[in-house]
Amino acid sequence: MANMDAETTAHTEAIVGEEWALLSHLDLFLFSLIVGFVIYWFMSNKKPEPIPEFKKLDTPTPTTKETSFIEKMKKTGKNIIVFYGSQTGTAEEFANRLSKDAQRYAMKGMAADPEEYDMGELSRLTEIKNSLAIFCMATYGEGDPTDNAQDFYDWLQDNDDENLSGLNYTVFALGNKTYEHYNAMGKYVDKRLEELGANRIFDLGLGDDDGNLEEDFISWREQFWPAVCEHFGVEALGDESSIRQYELKEHTDINMNKVYTGEIGRLKSFEVQKPPFDSKNPFLAPVTINRRLNKGGDRHLMHLELDITGSKIRYESGDHVAVFPTNDSGLVNKLGQALGVDLDVVISLNNLDEESNKKHPFPCPTTYRTALTHYLDITHPPRTNVLYELAQYASDPKDQENMRKMASSSPEGKALYQSWVLDASRNILAVLEDMPSLKPPVDHLCELLPRLQARYYSIASSSKVHPNSIHICAVVVEYTTKTGRINKGVATNWLKNKLVTDNGYKSTVPMYIRKSQFRLPFKATNPVIMVGPGTGIAPFIGFIQERGWLREQGKEVGETVLFFGCRHKNEDYIYQEELEEAEKKGVLTQLNVAFSRDQEHKVYVQHLLKTNKEHIWKLIHSENAHIYICGDARNMAKDVQAAFHDIAEEFGGMTHTQATDYIKKLMTKGRYSQDVWS
């Protein structure tokens, strides 16, 4: 059977092969046609598969970050918007206080960051009845806008055809009289809005941080709200009770991986670092060197080096490094004891206004300990609004009365606040200790305290010489108050304790770079005159390094003159070896050092300028020298500027007014730059 089958199969295959050969032309064509028709029929009768619908990803941006403040105000029934230009948080704090005030006048306000909104909508504010725009604008550096107000400033400058008629506005400016361009940003916004047709409903307020900024604000605010009432025909509700902005939620059962532990922005950003690094995403830079600079004395001047290898961070000589410090753990523990709370409870403070862009006062969820350590300022004297809000929690009527008095604008109240809080340097812990009847809920205190801000330091290195390292020069702040307490500067004491290795781990510093206008001349052949006593020498260490590097590259470099000052040659002549080596190599063509206390009569940098006045004038007037001042704004910078006025008068044959104008022109041309602080 098997064999038969095999034979039959072979025979059949042979016949088929012969027939196939015969059919190979016409029939093959017909066969292909039939197969094609069958396939076409099958495909045309098959139900078409639906094309998958790719939905747009639901990004949270439109809902959480609306760029239209007009639509947001309409949606939430707000008629007052308070924009803030803030670098250190004070202007933002004032803006929040003003927006809360509105409720006491049957109005609704919102604080707003101009960086987050389309400021071109200002003209549309007339669509909202009884609308008002308030601007709390701080001035930063040499008359500059704050980082978050830069785009708004540019918009104001670029839009000459903008019609803001019908826009009601007022401005409160925050500045410091020790600076050359006092309140420049606030003054500009006030003037520019008027030029564009807006209606100023109350006078520009000027706050001076060199005096009493809080008092300036309160005095302005006390007169501002009656003017608003008169303008819009409304009356105060007479309700002076506390207005809470956030509500407390305690988390009893939460995944600790979802709890913030000190991150500024993204959760776990300190564990998984991703560039680019900025104020919302700082880089954790390892500390590679932390050494004391001074040889003696009771102060501690220090030099730190931060490693930025692999971070893609770039900087230039003259830039600032911003660091995010933490509060002293001992101070935090004492605060917890005074408040009688478990600091390790996990909490969230949620905004009662669900439409607000600011959902929490600081990253949440977190613990009270983290909030008081990383996020809140517990060392500065509390502002009057904090005292006013906390007064209700004092069981002693006398304490209540005094706290409310200090928050008032009465002369007696202002004097009490000045003496009891400011002059005595009482922080919130000292207030609680000296008012035993005051027992506020910790969540309300956390709502009221301002955010702990980054601290800025002039970089003491050049990226040409140290591309992977940023150097900091600082003096540790520590003093005894009138109440006998020892107050310590938050950032400098924190930096002092940043050992290179701590229990086997590398110490790190959260940091980012803030660009500066404090720049060496574009032409290396231009001479430079640098004046920087004390830690004001920091940026000049970078300048000297860079000028030395340029010389090594074979570039022609102009004269490099330094005026440095300290107390005693044998105690705090910091960077002595580096400076003398630079002079020896010819990088520093002139090194002038004033030791203020090594002789009977004090000698400062401005005195040394005058002993070199003829040469200084030649460099400035004939050789296009650039002048740089770094250090104390209150006294040194003014005295140094006066010395330059005197030199211009004597050798330029100018009157005092002409000499003043001459130096101002140098400033305008970028040839007289200041990096000063008060």
Side-chain angles (χ1 to χ4, degrees):
M1 219 22 216
N3 290 337
M4 183 182 161
D5 287 341
E7 286 174 13
T8 305
T9 303
H11 177 67
T12 305
E13 286 175 351
I15 293 171
V16 171
E18 287 171 17
E19 288 177 351
W20 187 254
L22 294 171
L23 295 172
S24 61
H25 295 292
L26 180 63
D27 294 74
L28 182 60
F29 171 74
L30 291 172
F31 176 75
S32 300
L33 198 63
I34 292 165
V35 169
F37 176 77
V38 170
I39 292 170
Y40 171 77
W41 179 86
F42 176 78
M43 293 299 292
S44 63
N45 282 275
K46 187 179 177 184
K47 284 186 180 179
E49 281 188 28
I51 296 169
E53 206 174 305
F54 293 102
K55 291 183 179 178
K56 286 184 179 178
L57 288 172
D58 292 328
T59 56
T61 309
T63 53
T64 58
K65 295 284 183 185
E66 276 187 73
T67 58
S68 172
F69 62 84
I70 296 294
E71 297 309 316
K72 174 164 278 195
M73 289 174 76
K74 287 179 177 179
K75 186 177 177 182
T76 57
K78 306 272 172 59
N79 64 326
I80 292 180
I81 185 162
V82 193
F83 292 106
Y84 57 85
S86 187
Q87 196 70 32
T88 62
T90 308
E92 181 180 1
E93 185 189 329
F94 286 0
N96 282 321
R97 286 161 68 174
L98 289 169
S99 67
K100 281 174 74 173
D101 281 347
Q103 294 182 51
R104 297 193 168 101
Y105 301 89
M107 303 173 97
K108 291 184 75 176
M110 64 177 271
D113 183 344
E115 196 173 34
E116 295 181 355
Y117 292 102
D118 176 8
M119 297 304 286
E121 286 196 326
L122 278 174
S123 59
R124 288 186 58 202
L125 208 54
T126 53
E127 297 172 16
I128 297 170
K129 187 181 177 183
N130 285 357
S131 60
L132 170 64
I134 306 171
F135 297 85
C136 290
M137 308 306 293
T139 299
Y140 185 76
E142 293 303 297
D144 302 319
T146 57
D147 291 348
N148 76 312
Q150 183 66 55
D151 290 344
F152 174 48
Y153 175 77
D154 294 340
W155 179 83
L156 285 172
Q157 284 200 311
D158 297 342
N159 288 274
D160 289 333
D161 299 329
E162 192 72 27
N163 181 9
L164 296 182
S165 58
L167 169 70
N168 296 312
Y169 82 95
T170 191
V171 178
F172 183 80
L174 297 85
N176 189 309
K177 270 186 179 166
T178 60
Y179 289 80
E180 179 75 23
H181 306 280
Y182 173 57
N183 270 323
M185 182 59 180
K187 289 175 182 175
Y188 172 75
V189 171
D190 180 64
K191 178 171 170 284
R192 186 61 172 149
L193 290 173
E194 183 183 44
E195 288 173 352
L196 296 175
N199 175 37
R200 183 192 297 107
I201 71 158
F202 190 65
D203 294 339
L204 167 70
L206 297 175
D208 178 20
D209 201 28
D210 187 49
N212 188 331
L213 183 60
E214 177 73 10
E215 184 179 310
D216 295 335
F217 176 67
I218 289 172
S219 299
W220 177 85
R221 177 171 158 247
E222 291 272 326
Q223 297 172 61
F224 164 69
W225 283 113
V228 171
C229 291
E230 185 179 344
H231 183 85
F232 292 115
V234 297
E235 291 184 9
L237 297 177
D239 181 14
E240 295 298 317
S241 61
S242 174
I243 300 169
R244 290 296 298 267
Q245 191 176 349
Y246 299 92
E247 64 178 351
L248 171 68
K249 181 180 180 182
E250 290 190 3
H251 303 278
T252 52
D253 185 19
I254 189 170
N255 182 347
M256 293 306 285
N257 284 324
K258 294 182 179 179
V259 176
Y260 283 86
T261 57
E263 302 93 330
I264 305 301
R266 179 174 53 86
L267 186 66
K268 303 296 177 188
S269 60
F270 287 166
E271 291 179 21
V272 182
Q273 293 257 277
K274 294 177 183 177
F277 298 105
D278 54 28
S279 60
K280 294 178 176 65
N281 181 38
F283 175 65
L284 284 182
V287 177
T288 55
I289 289 177
N290 185 350
R291 64 183 172 92
R292 184 171 179 165
L293 286 169
N294 51 319
K295 304 177 188 77
D298 54 2
R299 296 187 303 159
H300 184 97
L301 292 102
M302 57 191 172
H303 172 91
L304 285 91
E305 298 186 10
L306 309 179
D307 186 1
I308 55 170
T309 304
S311 66
K312 298 184 179 177
I313 288 173
R314 300 288 178 264
Y315 74 95
E316 293 181 59
S317 301
D319 282 344
H320 298 136
V321 57
V323 303
F324 288 94
T326 59
N327 289 311
D328 178 67
S329 59
L331 196 62
V332 172
N333 288 333
K334 282 183 181 178
L335 201 49
Q337 289 164 10
L339 295 166
V341 295
D342 178 359
L343 293 175
D344 297 311
V345 171
V346 180
I347 56 109
S348 288
L349 287 178
N350 302 319
N351 202 320
L352 291 165
D353 178 2
E354 293 180 359
E355 296 298 326
S356 174
N357 278 6
K358 191 173 182 178
K359 302 301 180 189
H360 316 282
F362 44 78
C364 290
T366 191
T367 64
Y368 285 125
R369 185 182 303 281
T370 299
L372 293 169
T373 302
H374 293 270
Y375 300 137
L376 297 172
D377 186 341
I378 61 174
T379 58
H380 274 98
R383 297 199 184 276
T384 57
N385 68 304
V386 177
L387 299 178
Y388 181 85
E389 297 268 349
L390 295 184
Q392 62 186 305
Y393 303 116
S395 56
D396 184 336
K398 188 68 178 172
D399 286 345
Q400 271 200 28
E401 182 189 340
N402 281 334
M403 290 179 79
R404 290 204 168 104
K405 187 187 290 181
M406 285 189 281
S408 74
S409 58
S410 70
E412 188 185 359
K414 288 179 181 178
L416 184 60
Y417 178 73
Q418 181 69 43
S419 61
W420 198 81
V421 177
L422 297 181
D423 293 345
S425 302
R426 277 186 172 89
N427 57 31
I428 190 62
L429 176 61
V431 169
L432 291 170
E433 287 175 342
D434 293 345
M435 283 188 171
S437 84
L438 180 60
K439 298 291 180 186
V442 64
D443 63 293
H444 198 179
L445 182 63
C446 288
E447 175 179 325
L448 294 169
L449 289 174
R451 283 290 296 268
L452 182 59
Q453 298 294 324
R455 303 306 203 258
Y456 298 93
Y457 295 95
S458 301
I459 296 175
S461 55
S462 164
S463 59
K464 298 288 191 295
V465 180
H466 300 282
N468 294 314
S469 182
I470 285 173
H471 301 181
I472 295 174
C473 169
V475 58
V476 174
V477 176
E478 187 173 314
Y479 60 95
T480 303
T481 71
K482 289 182 178 179
T483 65
R485 294 179 171 92
I486 294 175
N487 278 9
K488 296 182 176 184
V490 176
T492 54
N493 280 276
W494 171 75
L495 285 171
K496 178 187 174 184
N497 294 320
K498 284 286 177 184
L499 307 176
V500 175
T501 54
D502 192 2
N503 291 328
Y505 294 97
K506 283 185 179 179
S507 287
T508 56
V509 169
M511 53 73 67
Y512 69 95
I513 298 299
R514 188 183 193 277
K515 294 296 177 184
S516 165
Q517 300 300 316
F518 203 69
R519 290 276 183 267
L520 278 168
F522 180 74
K523 289 182 179 177
T525 51
N526 284 112
V528 298
I529 300 166
M530 305 172 290
V531 185
T535 56
I537 196 174
F540 303 138
I541 294 297
F543 281 12
I544 292 164
Q545 288 176 3
E546 189 145 328
R547 302 277 274 191
W549 179 84
L550 287 167
R551 282 166 57 93
E552 287 174 3
Q553 305 305 305
K555 300 281 176 66
E556 185 185 346
V557 177
E559 281 200 47
T560 305
V561 179
L562 174 67
F563 290 88
F564 172 65
C566 60
R567 294 177 182 179
H568 302 284
K569 182 175 183 178
N570 295 326
E571 281 187 9
D572 53 356
Y573 184 2
I574 58 177
Y575 297 109
Q576 180 179 355
E577 294 79 11
E578 291 93 322
L579 295 175
E580 290 177 351
E581 182 65 21
E583 185 184 32
K584 186 178 173 183
K585 286 182 176 178
V587 176
L588 263 181
T589 47
Q590 203 177 324
L591 172 60
N592 308 279
V593 187
F595 304 108
S596 62
R597 302 183 188 183
D598 273 352
Q599 60 283 311
E600 189 178 344
H601 300 289
K602 290 187 177 179
V603 177
Y604 296 116
V605 284
Q606 61 267 27
H607 300 133
L608 295 188
L609 276 169
K610 290 179 179 179
T611 60
N612 289 267
K613 53 192 175 183
E614 192 170 355
H615 183 60
I616 292 296
W617 177 248
K618 176 175 169 285
L619 292 177
I620 297 169
H621 196 63
S622 304
E623 298 183 27
N624 254 0
H626 285 231
I627 302 164
Y628 301 91
I629 318 295
C630 184
D632 166 53
R634 187 178 284 110
N635 299 309
M636 182 278 296
K638 287 181 177 178
D639 292 341
V640 165
Q641 193 168 319
F644 279 111
H645 289 159
D646 292 344
I647 292 170
E649 280 183 55
E650 184 176 346
F651 291 93
M654 303 178 191
T655 64
H656 181 70
T657 303
Q658 288 172 330
T660 303
D661 288 343
Y662 181 85
I663 297 300
K664 280 188 177 175
K665 281 179 184 173
L666 291 182
M667 291 178 179
T668 306
K669 291 175 182 176
R671 285 181 53 205
Y672 191 109
S673 304
Q674 298 185 98
D675 181 1
V676 294
W677 55 85
S678 62

